Structures are given as structure tokens and as C-alpha cells.
Coordinates of all heavy atoms in Angstrom, one line a residue:
A197 N -1.4 7.5 -6.4 CA -1.1 8.5 -5.4 C -1.4 8.1 -4.0 O -1.0 8.7 -3.0 CB -1.8 9.9 -5.8
N198 N -2.3 7.1 -3.9 CA -2.6 6.6 -2.6 C -2.0 5.2 -2.3 O -2.4 4.5 -1.4 CB -4.2 6.5 -2.4 CG -4.6 6.5 -1.0 OD1 -4.0 7.0 -0.1 ND2 -5.8 5.8 -0.7
I199 N -1.0 5.0 -3.0 CA -0.1 3.8 -2.8 C 1.3 4.1 -2.5 O 1.9 3.7 -1.6 CB -0.2 2.8 -4.1 CG1 -1.7 2.3 -4.2 CG2 0.7 1.6 -3.8 CD1 -1.8 1.5 -5.5
I200 N 1.8 4.9 -3.5 CA 3.3 5.1 -3.5 C 3.8 5.8 -2.2 O 4.9 5.5 -1.7 CB 3.8 5.9 -4.8 CG1 3.4 5.0 -6.0 CG2 5.3 6.2 -4.8 CD1 3.5 5.7 -7.3
P201 N 3.1 6.9 -1.8 CA 3.6 7.5 -0.5 C 3.8 6.6 0.7 O 4.7 6.7 1.4 CB 2.6 8.7 -0.3 CG 2.0 8.9 -1.6 CD 1.9 7.6 -2.3
W202 N 2.8 5.7 0.7 CA 2.8 4.7 1.9 C 3.9 3.6 1.6 O 4.6 3.3 2.6 CB 1.5 4.0 2.0 CG 0.3 5.0 2.1 CD1 -0.7 5.2 1.1 CD2 0.0 6.1 3.0 NE1 -1.5 6.2 1.4 CE2 -1.1 6.7 2.6 CE3 0.7 6.3 4.2 CZ2 -1.7 7.7 3.4 CZ3 0.1 7.4 5.0 CH2 -1.0 8.1 4.6
Q203 N 4.1 3.3 0.4 CA 5.3 2.4 0.1 C 6.6 3.0 0.4 O 7.5 2.3 1.0 CB 5.2 2.0 -1.4 CG 4.2 0.9 -1.8 CD 4.3 0.5 -3.2 OE1 4.7 1.3 -4.0 NE2 3.8 -0.7 -3.5
L204 N 6.8 4.2 0.0 CA 8.1 4.9 0.3 C 8.3 4.9 1.8 O 9.5 4.6 2.2 CB 8.1 6.3 -0.3 CG 8.1 6.4 -1.8 CD1 7.9 7.9 -2.2 CD2 9.4 5.9 -2.4
L205 N 7.3 5.3 2.5 CA 7.5 5.3 4.0 C 7.7 3.9 4.6 O 8.6 3.7 5.4 CB 6.3 6.0 4.6 CG 6.3 6.1 6.1 CD1 7.5 6.8 6.7 CD2 4.9 6.7 6.6
A206 N 6.9 3.0 4.2 CA 7.1 1.6 4.7 C 8.4 1.0 4.4 O 9.0 0.4 5.3 CB 5.9 0.8 4.1
N207 N 9.0 1.3 3.2 CA 10.2 0.8 2.8 C 11.3 1.3 3.7 O 12.4 0.7 4.0 CB 10.5 1.0 1.3 CG 9.6 0.2 0.4 OD1 9.1 -0.8 0.9 ND2 9.5 0.6 -0.8
E208 N 11.2 2.6 4.1 CA 12.2 3.3 4.8 C 12.3 2.7 6.2 O 13.4 2.7 6.9 CB 12.0 4.8 4.9 CG 12.2 5.5 3.5 CD 11.8 6.9 3.6 OE1 11.6 7.4 4.7 OE2 11.7 7.6 2.5
V209 N 11.2 2.3 6.9 CA 11.2 2.0 8.2 C 11.0 0.5 8.4 O 11.1 0.0 9.5 CB 10.0 2.7 9.0 CG1 10.2 4.2 8.9 CG2 8.6 2.3 8.6
G210 N 10.9 -0.3 7.3 CA 10.7 -1.7 7.5 C 9.2 -2.2 7.8 O 9.0 -3.3 8.3
A211 N 8.3 -1.3 7.4 CA 6.9 -1.7 7.6 C 6.4 -2.3 6.3 O 7.1 -2.5 5.4 CB 6.1 -0.4 8.0
K212 N 5.1 -2.6 6.2 CA 4.5 -3.4 5.1 C 3.2 -2.7 4.7 O 2.4 -2.3 5.5 CB 4.3 -4.8 5.5 CG 3.8 -5.7 4.4 CD 3.6 -7.1 4.9 CE 3.0 -8.0 3.8 NZ 2.8 -9.4 4.4
V213 N 3.0 -2.6 3.4 CA 1.7 -2.2 2.8 C 0.9 -3.4 2.4 O 1.4 -4.3 1.7 CB 1.9 -1.3 1.6 CG1 0.6 -1.0 0.9 CG2 2.5 0.0 2.0
V214 N -0.3 -3.6 2.9 CA -1.2 -4.6 2.6 C -2.5 -4.1 1.9 O -2.8 -3.0 2.2 CB -1.5 -5.5 3.8 CG1 -0.3 -6.1 4.4 CG2 -2.3 -4.6 4.8
A215 N -3.0 -4.8 1.0 CA -4.2 -4.4 0.2 C -5.3 -5.3 0.4 O -5.2 -6.5 0.1 CB -3.8 -4.2 -1.2
A216 N -6.5 -4.8 0.7 CA -7.7 -5.6 0.7 C -8.2 -5.9 -0.7 O -8.1 -5.0 -1.6 CB -8.8 -4.8 1.5
P217 N -8.6 -7.0 -1.0 CA -9.0 -7.4 -2.3 C -10.3 -6.8 -2.8 O -11.1 -6.3 -2.0 CB -9.1 -9.0 -2.2 CG -9.5 -9.2 -0.8 CD -8.8 -8.2 -0.1
V218 N -10.4 -6.8 -4.1 CA -11.6 -6.3 -4.8 C -12.3 -7.5 -5.4 O -11.7 -8.4 -6.0 CB -11.2 -5.3 -5.9 CG1 -12.4 -4.9 -6.7 CG2 -10.7 -4.0 -5.2
T219 N -13.6 -7.5 -5.3 CA -14.5 -8.6 -5.9 C -14.5 -8.5 -7.4 O -14.2 -7.5 -8.0 CB -15.8 -8.6 -5.3 OG1 -16.6 -7.4 -5.8 CG2 -15.8 -8.5 -3.7
D220 N -15.1 -9.6 -8.0 CA -15.3 -9.5 -9.4 C -16.3 -8.4 -9.9 O -16.2 -8.0 -11.0 CB -15.9 -10.9 -10.0 CG -14.9 -12.0 -9.8 OD1 -13.6 -11.7 -9.7 OD2 -15.3 -13.2 -9.8
E221 N -17.2 -8.0 -8.9 CA -18.1 -7.0 -9.2 C -17.5 -5.6 -9.1 O -18.1 -4.6 -9.5 CB -19.3 -7.0 -8.3 CG -20.2 -8.2 -8.6 CD -19.6 -9.5 -8.0 OE1 -18.8 -9.4 -7.0 OE2 -19.9 -10.6 -8.5

């Protein structure tokens, strides 16, 4: 729910969703 709304919007305007990584912990 905190990914798809931003993807839909980004795809419509040509923007990009980037994700900060998670550590092994």
C-alpha cells in the first residue's frame, strides 16, 4: 500500500520510484 500508489503516479508522469536497501539485520 506504500509502494503501488507511488508507482502508479510515477508511471503516469515519467517519474521513478527508488527504494533504500534493508540490511541483513
